[in-house]
Amino acid sequence: MCLAVGPTARPVRPHLFKLSKSRRFSTCNVSLSLKNASIDSKAYSKTLLLPKTSFPLWVDSVKSESLFKRKTCEDLYRWQAQNAGGPLFVLLDGPPYANGHLHMGHALNKVLKDIINRYHVLTGHRVRYHPGWDCHGLPIENKALQELKKDALSLPPSIIRTSAKATAEREMKTQQNEFEQFCIMADWSSETTYRTLDHDYEIRQLQVFQRMVEQGLIYRHYRPVHYSPSSHSALAEAELVYNDDHVSHSVYVTFPLDLQTQVPNTTLREILVEEPSASLLVWTTTPWTLTANMGIAVHPGLTYSVVRASAKEGVLVVAKDRLDALEHVIGSYETIAEINGTDLVGTQYHSVFSPIPGSKTTPLEIIAASHVTSESGSGLVHCAPAHGAEDYLAFRALGLLQGSTDIICHVDDAGKFSSDVADVVGEEAAQLLVGQEVLKGGSKAIVGLLESTGSLVKMQKIKHRYPYDWKTGEPIIVTATSQWFANLDSIKDNALNALKDVQFYPPPSRNRLESFIRSRSEWCISRQRVWGVPIPALYHTPTDTAILSSESLTHILRVLSDRGVVHWWEGPIEDFLTPELLAQFEGGPEAWRKGTDTMDVWFDSGSNWSTLSAPTSGRKHRADVCLEGTDQHRGWFQSQLLTAVGAASGNSDTRPVSPYRTLITHGMVLDEAGKKMSKSLGNIVSPMTIIHGGKDRRKEPAYGADVLRLWAATVEYWRDMSIGPTVLAQCAESMRKIRNSARFILGNIGTVAQRKDFVPVQHNELGLAERFVMNELYKLDQTAADGYASYNFPKVMNSLSNFANITLSSLYFDITKDCLYANDLQSVERRAVVTTLARVLDSMTAVVAPVLPYLAEEIHSTLHEGDEGVSQLSVFAKKWVPVSAEWNDPQAEQDMASLLKMRSVVLSLLEKARGHKHLKNSLEAEVDIILPNSLSVRPYFLQLIEREETFLKTLFIVSDANITDEGSLGTASFAWSYVSTMAIPDTDTNMEVAIRVRPSSLSKCPRCWTYTREEEHDLCVRCENVVGRAE
């Protein structure tokens, strides 16, 4: 459609001879003779419409980004907040921890959120996105202490809090500066961001807490919890990581049966009469908990064997199913009797430490428990309710624990043995234990005591999975402390029901969150930290009564609202006591103290849904989208849901609603080898280095923010993903190709002034190539809209890259260059191409804008250069208008696919000719398409190529293409030719067409370089007409 070249044999026209004789062209001011017309081709360059644009192929990202940063980030957010007329879209920001420089996880997270927000701005929504920070907790407190060069015990809490706040505020400024370099559309002012240390935020959080107290969900209990000696604080399950390589000292020990009391089972009683001693064989990986033993559990359904073993004098009781597995421990053995587990219940035994002088132990009993199995150990389980949740629950179920004094615990808040251990091991042995860390020297000392009493049968080191404190990286213990808990049993069904209305991306992530919620019965919300939001409980010291009620909180929150939450720590107790409390309890204000526990930081961040307005105008959820890493199924995703449902649980008239409508999960960023990034491995990739470059720019180029964003949009973020030099180089190359496509279009569609008088070509006048490109653009537009709406950004970018690289660069740009450069400016063929290119650029810019905002702004600015009213606006100010369905043209797609099959054959033949040095440029060739003789039926493909005959030379990028049949070939011979055949598509017969490539029969035109000039003419017909009109 684009080349308007006349037929091979053409009549001689007088005006053409007149033009040839004058040999003068005012457009280029040169004179040529017929003989040298084909040589001096550069003389016509000024008559060509070569691309012109200020849009560079390569750009200095620092300079380019500085031009558009404010326009497309802060100003754009404010503009859309004031001007967008569409529905509200809320993305609730999961707050990053205000500690340290940003890493690739931060970059991925914030860029993905920004892509979503920018897409919604483009589609006309009013976006509400307030970035936030999580500011309390141990890491910030530790960093403050490091800077003070002090430990927590040597400083007043007020000094630590002041320093921690200053540290958090400094870290937030650093992170904000780095976030802004990712080209994040946000208003970073205090009114449109949130920090969990802000007064208003802390009051909202306490109000959420109060509503949960009113529902009876908050209680205090002395029970075993995950406790971090390195943090000096209780931890929730979400704050644990598991180390598969942890090494423990496991021991097999014997608890002697009490021969002085009545043994319930007759068989065992008869055996004990004959044997000098009898013991229960027990295995544990935590020997330090043996001082807190309160019972030994058996499974009532198991069978237990009484054996005489070579490793131990007397007889041993073990589970029958474990005998073979225990032979390496007990040696050879002889089974004396078998007893049902039920018959062992109630039998008494002595502590393993009872032989130590000064031990004050009393006989204990065997209990029944369902958590005992025959899969490991000896089938008898040492129970220390202070140090095991299953032990604790078993004892509670049996009514053996009535109060906190019923639990034996010898571990202090530093994770060390306390002086109370002397009650079990005696004063002398206690000197070996007191002050020792139970996980280190204390455990070894216990093993030594076991050896001295003869209770140790075997000790071995085992490598196993063990929980660690996720903040300090140190192992934790399970120990009994008094903590505040949220009862989840009464709200988790509501929480799970609320999730039924939530969409999950990827869908399997639903199972992960639901399983975590289902498995929890309570949430330990108290922490023994200085830096945090207080749990405002009052304690009456004489009666050891904790007061935490709706009434007490109403008064306390009124005081804190007026004077600041810090007043809880600094104000006198009198400020928080109500007349009712003073009247109810004796002793006056002096009998009271304020609680020092702080809230779990997950409660802090999990309350951020309360910063959003209650949904109106048909909205059901406060937030449309929350997006975080997969680790947040155990953290923020849960704590948001649980606090929101818990705070609303008293309203029985309404169904529980999740705070979020859609939950999106991304994986972790790994290095190029798929390894986790760490300082020790030296494989950390910094987002700041990607943007600004490293010390060695050859190894670490400055790619700019758009390349970083392109990486985030092309990886399958819902899985773990890799980044490194190779991946980034590929992204930079993809970026260059997209940029080059935009540059080609900008260079060919003209300036604002030139486009003012441009007359677009109507749909029905467009050629097949243009209709095909518009069909591909329609499909791209549909794919992009669907991809963005379903958060499948790789789908969008892959489609865009394919369109830019294959449809445009490799095909359409290539076949239309001749038309764009050499045709008359007003020719229908050229206007058809320009019409198509303009539409392509408009849609491509919209598609690329959410991912590559700097590139989109630069395209927009260049396109509207000279029209300040438009160019000064952001590209996002123009709503994304979908490509009209009128361009959905499956027939054009099918026709083009058929012709492209033929093109592949032609290109293969041209490549052979080029390989044999018969031609350098495809324009030196002509193509003959030879149809078979005597066709009774003309298949659609033959009708297609006849209809598009004038387009074929354009598609093949040759000087001419002719359709003939076998009978019309004649006997002409050529200097060279190459022939191949092609099956006619979509036919049931074996009909083929032959395709011949041969030298062009005409001469080279010095202006357009096609071989369409007759020897006696200076130029080809097309170029003569164009140049003639230019005179």
Side-chain angles (χ1 to χ4, degrees), residues 291-292 351 353-354 356-362 408-411 417-435 446 449:
T291 65
S351 165
F353 302 107
S354 58
I356 299 176
S359 172
K360 302 174 185 176
T361 58
T362 57
I408 298 173
C409 183
H410 303 132
V411 181
F417 278 115
S418 68
S419 58
D420 293 339
V421 76
D423 294 339
V424 174
V425 301
E427 293 292 343
E428 185 177 343
Q431 294 177 18
L432 301 173
L433 300 178
V434 176
I446 287 290
L449 288 177

Side-chain angles (χ1 to χ4, degrees), residues 36-333:
N36 65 9
S38 63
I39 301 173
D40 195 5
S41 58
K42 291 183 180 179
Y44 292 100
S45 63
K46 291 183 179 180
T47 71
L48 296 172
L49 298 171
L50 298 175
K52 292 180 182 179
T53 179
S54 60
F55 189 87
L57 178 56
W58 300 103
V59 66
D60 182 334
S61 59
V62 175
K63 293 180 180 178
S64 175
E65 291 175 6
S66 65
L67 293 174
F68 303 108
K69 182 178 179 182
R70 187 173 182 84
K71 175 198 285 190
T72 199
C73 293
E74 195 166 354
D75 287 354
L76 173 60
Y77 184 85
R78 291 172 178 166
W79 177 88
Q80 65 85 31
Q82 296 170 3
N83 295 283
L88 177 67
F89 175 82
V90 179
L91 196 153
L92 182 58
D93 193 32
Y97 202 69
N99 184 29
H101 290 284
L102 302 181
H103 52 65
M104 282 306 306
H106 290 115
L108 173 74
N109 180 272
K110 271 292 193 286
V111 168
L112 292 177
K113 291 173 182 175
D114 192 63
I115 291 171
I116 294 169
N117 284 336
R118 288 181 181 274
Y119 167 70
H120 282 280
V121 169
L122 271 180
T123 53
H125 289 85
R126 178 167 57 87
V127 170
R128 195 267 193 200
Y129 173 66
H130 290 186
W133 277 274
D134 200 353
C135 307
H136 295 124
L138 180 68
I140 291 174
E141 187 174 325
N142 280 348
K143 179 169 274 192
L145 289 170
Q146 289 169 9
E147 292 168 357
L148 291 169
K149 298 181 180 179
K150 299 283 186 178
D151 63 74
L153 300 177
S154 65
L155 288 171
S158 60
I159 298 294
I160 299 174
R161 276 190 286 271
T162 300
S163 180
K165 182 178 181 183
T167 298
E169 289 175 338
R170 183 191 68 228
E171 296 293 307
M172 283 188 286
K173 286 181 181 178
T174 298
Q175 290 189 355
Q176 178 183 325
N177 176 61
E178 294 178 354
F179 277 134
E180 289 182 29
Q181 295 174 60
F182 300 159
C183 194
I184 305 301
M185 182 192 67
D187 181 353
W188 298 93
S189 62
S190 59
E191 293 79 13
T192 47
T193 55
Y194 73 90
R195 290 151 291 276
T196 60
L197 58 70
D198 289 341
H199 172 73
D200 289 346
Y201 189 97
E202 291 180 331
I203 293 299
R204 280 196 201 92
Q205 177 181 333
L206 288 167
Q207 289 168 344
V208 170
F209 180 70
Q210 181 182 16
R211 292 203 291 275
M212 293 181 70
V213 169
E214 290 169 353
Q215 308 307 325
L217 298 175
I218 307 299
Y219 61 92
R220 186 169 176 80
H221 204 33
Y222 183 79
R223 61 151 295 167
V225 296
H226 297 298
Y227 188 86
S228 172
S230 56
S231 297
H232 287 253
S233 180
L235 299 178
E237 175 67 31
E239 295 173 292
L240 305 179
V241 294
Y242 286 84
N243 183 350
D244 292 324
D245 297 322
H246 181 81
V247 176
S248 292
H249 291 83
S250 71
V251 294
Y252 287 89
V253 295
T254 54
F255 288 80
L257 288 172
D258 184 6
L259 302 180
Q260 306 302 316
T261 58
Q262 182 69 28
V263 176
N265 181 260
T266 304
T267 303
L268 184 59
R269 189 165 59 245
E270 291 174 353
I271 292 171
L272 294 180
V273 171
E274 302 294 330
E275 295 295 333
S277 66
S279 302
L280 307 171
L281 182 67
V282 171
W283 175 68
T284 179
T285 60
T286 55
W288 58 270
T289 64
L290 288 169
T291 65
N293 176 265
M294 293 180 63
I296 289 177
V298 295
H299 195 290
L302 290 179
T303 299
Y304 290 84
S305 297
V306 181
V307 301
R308 187 176 289 112
S310 60
K312 182 75 176 177
E313 186 180 351
V315 295
L316 297 175
V317 179
V318 297
K320 178 183 177 180
D321 293 344
R322 296 298 300 161
L323 279 173
D324 291 343
L326 291 171
E327 195 165 357
H328 74 288
V329 176
I330 64 176
S332 58
Y333 63 88

Side-chain angles (χ1 to χ4, degrees), residues 591-664:
W592 293 86
R593 66 178 179 86
K594 295 175 291 182
T596 57
D597 289 341
T598 58
M599 285 193 202
D600 177 12
V601 291
W602 291 118
F603 203 106
D604 289 18
S605 59
S607 302
N608 72 341
W609 57 266
S610 65
T611 64
L612 304 175
S613 301
T616 57
S617 305
R619 291 171 57 85
K620 185 174 182 180
H621 304 85
R622 292 181 184 239
D624 292 288
V625 168
C626 288
L627 181 154
E628 297 300 329
T630 184
D631 56 331
Q632 296 307 316
H633 290 116
R634 301 169 64 215
W636 185 61
F637 290 159
Q638 268 195 74
S639 63
Q640 264 199 99
L641 179 66
L642 295 173
T643 53
V645 172
S649 62
N651 189 348
S652 57
D653 298 332
T654 59
R655 181 182 172 187
V657 177
S658 163
Y660 38 73
R661 179 170 60 90
T662 300
L663 211 56
I664 305 172

Side-chain angles (χ1 to χ4, degrees), residues 744-897:
F744 180 88
I745 297 175
L746 287 167
N748 283 289
I749 62 176
T751 63
V752 169
Q754 291 168 337
R755 295 196 303 273
K756 188 177 294 184
D757 299 322
F758 178 76
V759 180
V761 175
Q762 297 304 306
H763 188 170
N764 59 355
E765 295 182 74
L766 295 179
L768 175 59
E770 285 66 47
R771 288 186 286 112
F772 167 73
V773 169
M774 287 304 299
N775 176 73
E776 293 300 299
L777 183 67
Y778 172 80
K779 292 198 301 180
L780 168 64
D781 189 78
Q782 292 288 303
T783 300
D786 177 70
Y788 280 127
S790 61
Y791 314 106
N792 190 341
F793 311 132
K795 177 181 178 181
V796 178
M797 299 316 294
N798 288 337
S799 296
L800 175 63
S801 293
N802 286 336
F803 180 76
N805 298 340
I806 298 171
T807 304
L808 296 183
S809 294
S810 297
L811 179 64
Y812 193 62
F813 289 171
D814 220 16
I815 67 175
T816 56
K817 284 177 183 176
D818 176 80
C819 175
L820 287 168
Y821 301 170
N823 271 31
D824 184 80
L825 185 66
Q826 299 303 327
S827 70
V828 173
E829 294 87 357
R830 190 180 192 282
R831 285 192 295 112
V833 177
V834 172
T835 300
T836 303
L837 291 180
R839 289 183 173 128
V840 165
L841 185 65
D842 184 63
S843 292
M844 269 187 66
T845 304
V847 169
V848 82
V851 175
L852 306 175
Y854 284 135
L855 175 60
E857 294 288 6
E858 190 180 357
I859 293 170
H860 173 77
S861 178
T862 304
L863 179 66
H864 297 285
E865 207 167 28
D867 184 354
E868 290 193 5
V870 178
S871 64
Q872 286 184 354
L873 289 173
S874 169
V875 66
F876 292 89
K878 179 185 176 184
K879 188 176 178 180
W880 182 342
V881 179
V883 175
S884 171
E886 70 173 302
W887 297 109
N888 182 21
D889 196 340
Q891 189 61 55
E893 182 178 0
Q894 184 180 334
D895 289 352
M896 198 66 172

